Amino acid sequence: MQERSDKLTTSLNKRELERKLDIEKKLEGKQQLIAEHEQLEYFTKSFNEKRIAVENALKSSSSVDVVDLPKHFDTIYKSILMLQKYGASSKIFLRMYDVERCHQTVHELTVRTRELEENLIPKKKFGFKNKKPNITDLNGRSEDVVDYAAPHQSYEESICGFENRKNETLIMQKSDVYKNDVVLQNIENCLIKLYGTPSTLHLNHVRNCLILSGPVSTSIFAEYCNDLKMAIACQQLRLHSSSDIHIYLHVTSRAIMEDCNNILIAPYNFKYDSLKEDFVTAGLDQNINNWTSVDDFNWLNLQKKSPNWSILQEHERISDWDNFTLPCGKFPD
């Protein structure tokens, strides 16, 4: 009799314990749901505040002085990148719908920024200007250099560079690039050396070239470039729609890339007599180099590094640019 009573008591205690555990489990689930809801509400509020800040910056773009526009848009791109990272870091409690909406918002803001930037910043136009005998083709024949600049608009008077060149050595001296925007466009199989301190450097449709540049005061923009080796120094690098590039980089803020792949990066190592002086003139700190800080707009996973870029191994790096040549318009393997 006592044994039956003990079994009944044990069974009742077990049921009561299971009931309490079930209540605690439901309560815990309810609390977790409330916490996730609160997290989602906070994220939505914070994300929208950041989005509105970007949109307000875009709206103010038309009132920004033209010479300040590059810096203005650099700031907007950084804000969009931070918005993207904020969404990526919150994926653990976001619904799939919210994640997709974040992606779409970031994409739309990026497209709007790029379109507005292209509309507001004067187009780089080319016109023939002064000739200077500082160019040699790959066969060793001397040739006159053509400085490209638009002769009529004051903003474009500060633009120089090279366009539609192939199989040549193209050189610009300090006096050519000082405080100027340098444009390299539609160039193939060329060795390009820029001594001194350009204000900005723009690369567009440049293929199979070696580019060696002194420190650029602000930004370097490159798009639709392939099979390059570049030694460049700047405040910020923006690389778009490009692939198969070795970049020997000095950057004092960060490098940003989008729609790029197979980008290999090493520290800047171009050397010439007045390099130290040119860093001072450009306003860049030679002791601050964030060459490993690369933000990839196509990679949202904050826990893993982007597969679109990597560090160029030391044994693969070129240490002596003076003896590096471009034989037959091809880089050696």
Side-chain angles (χ1 to χ4, degrees):
M1 190 75 175
Q2 182 65 37
E3 185 177 348
R4 288 184 61 188
S5 177
D6 290 343
K7 286 183 177 179
L8 181 60
T9 301
T10 300
S11 177
L12 291 173
N13 288 339
K14 184 178 179 181
R15 286 184 183 178
E16 179 64 15
L17 179 61
E18 289 175 347
R19 186 182 69 83
K20 288 181 178 180
L21 289 174
D22 186 54
I23 292 173
E24 288 178 2
K25 187 175 181 181
K26 288 180 179 178
L27 182 60
E28 183 180 331
K30 184 177 181 181
Q31 289 174 339
Q32 184 177 353
L33 191 64
I34 292 173
E36 288 179 352
H37 181 70
E38 289 175 348
Q39 281 182 313
L40 183 58
E41 279 189 342
Y42 176 81
F43 168 81
T44 302
K45 180 176 180 291
S46 182
F47 186 88
N48 284 335
E49 288 174 352
K50 297 177 190 295
R51 173 185 58 78
I52 291 170
V54 172
E55 290 178 343
N56 288 337
L58 289 172
K59 290 177 182 177
S60 69
S61 299
S62 58
S63 62
V64 176
D65 193 286
V66 67
V67 297
D68 296 323
L69 281 173
K71 185 177 180 180
H72 173 74
F73 282 110
D74 281 347
T75 301
I76 292 177
Y77 280 117
K78 288 179 183 177
S79 298
I80 294 174
L81 186 63
M82 294 305 296
L83 187 66
Q84 181 190 47
K85 287 187 172 182
Y86 181 55
S89 65
S90 305
K91 284 172 65 176
I92 189 169
F93 61 83
L94 293 179
R95 300 163 297 188
M96 184 58 66
Y97 165 77
D98 299 309
V99 173
E100 290 300 324
R101 188 174 61 177
C102 289
H103 288 181
Q104 185 64 27
T105 298
V106 168
H107 175 72
E108 289 175 357
L109 288 174
T110 303
V111 171
R112 284 175 58 191
T113 303
R114 191 177 300 161
E115 290 176 349
L116 192 59
E117 183 182 29
E118 291 175 355
N119 289 333
L120 291 180
I121 295 181
K123 301 295 185 295
K124 276 61 179 176
K125 298 179 181 179
F126 290 97
F128 293 102
K129 204 178 177 183
N130 300 326
K131 292 186 176 182
K132 300 178 183 179
N134 60 352
I135 184 171
T136 307
D137 67 17
L138 293 182
N139 295 317
R141 294 189 297 268
S142 293
E143 182 181 319
D144 283 341
V145 155
V146 178
D147 285 346
Y148 298 97
H152 301 302
Q153 297 185 27
S154 59
Y155 176 80
E156 293 173 348
E157 285 176 357
S158 64
I159 297 172
C160 57
F162 300 101
E163 182 185 35
N164 301 327
R165 311 305 284 255
K166 189 173 182 179
N167 300 325
E168 296 176 284
T169 294
L170 308 171
I171 299 175
M172 299 190 75
Q173 302 295 342
K174 294 179 67 170
S175 59
D176 302 322
V177 305
Y178 179 63
K179 290 188 177 180
N180 284 343
D181 296 324
V182 177
V183 179
L184 305 175
Q185 183 168 287
N186 297 326
I187 298 178
E188 185 175 353
N189 298 342
C190 287
L191 167 60
I192 304 165
K193 291 185 178 182
L194 308 174
Y195 296 101
T197 56
S199 176
T200 62
L201 175 59
H202 300 257
L203 288 77
N204 189 15
H205 291 282
V206 180
R207 180 179 176 274
N208 196 44
C209 291
L210 168 61
I211 301 170
L212 304 173
S213 174
V216 176
S217 299
T218 57
S219 300
I220 295 178
F221 307 88
E223 60 181 349
Y224 307 114
C225 295
N226 304 95
D227 301 310
L228 303 183
K229 283 182 171 61
M230 303 193 297
I232 52 176
C234 57
Q235 185 183 90
Q236 185 189 68
L237 170 67
R238 285 192 11 220
L239 188 66
H240 296 280
S241 305
S242 300
S243 63
D244 302 309
I245 301 177
H246 291 191
I247 305 176
Y248 294 74
L249 178 65
H250 185 107
V251 61
T252 55
S253 59
R254 300 183 71 84
I256 295 175
M257 56 184 279
E258 183 179 18
D259 299 330
C260 297
N261 61 81
N262 197 25
I263 309 299
L264 299 177
I265 299 180
Y268 181 76
N269 63 355
F270 181 38
K271 297 176 182 177
Y272 56 91
D273 290 342
S274 62
L275 179 63
K276 189 173 182 179
E277 172 191 328
D278 287 345
F279 263 93
V280 175
T281 302
L284 303 182
D285 191 335
Q286 202 166 4
N287 298 314
I288 298 177
N289 187 5
N290 299 313
W291 64 281
T292 58
S293 299
V294 180
D295 293 319
D296 184 357
F297 268 62
N298 297 101
W299 188 251
L300 297 177
N301 190 333
L302 299 182
Q303 307 304 318
K304 295 182 180 180
K305 193 185 75 64
S306 165
N308 297 316
W309 72 274
S310 59
I311 302 297
L312 182 62
Q313 298 301 308
E314 288 193 31
H315 69 276
E316 297 177 326
R317 298 174 189 173
I318 299 165
S319 58
D320 184 4
W321 294 112
D322 289 336
N323 293 317
F324 183 79
T325 57
L326 211 64
C328 301
K330 292 288 184 181
F331 290 112
D333 294 331

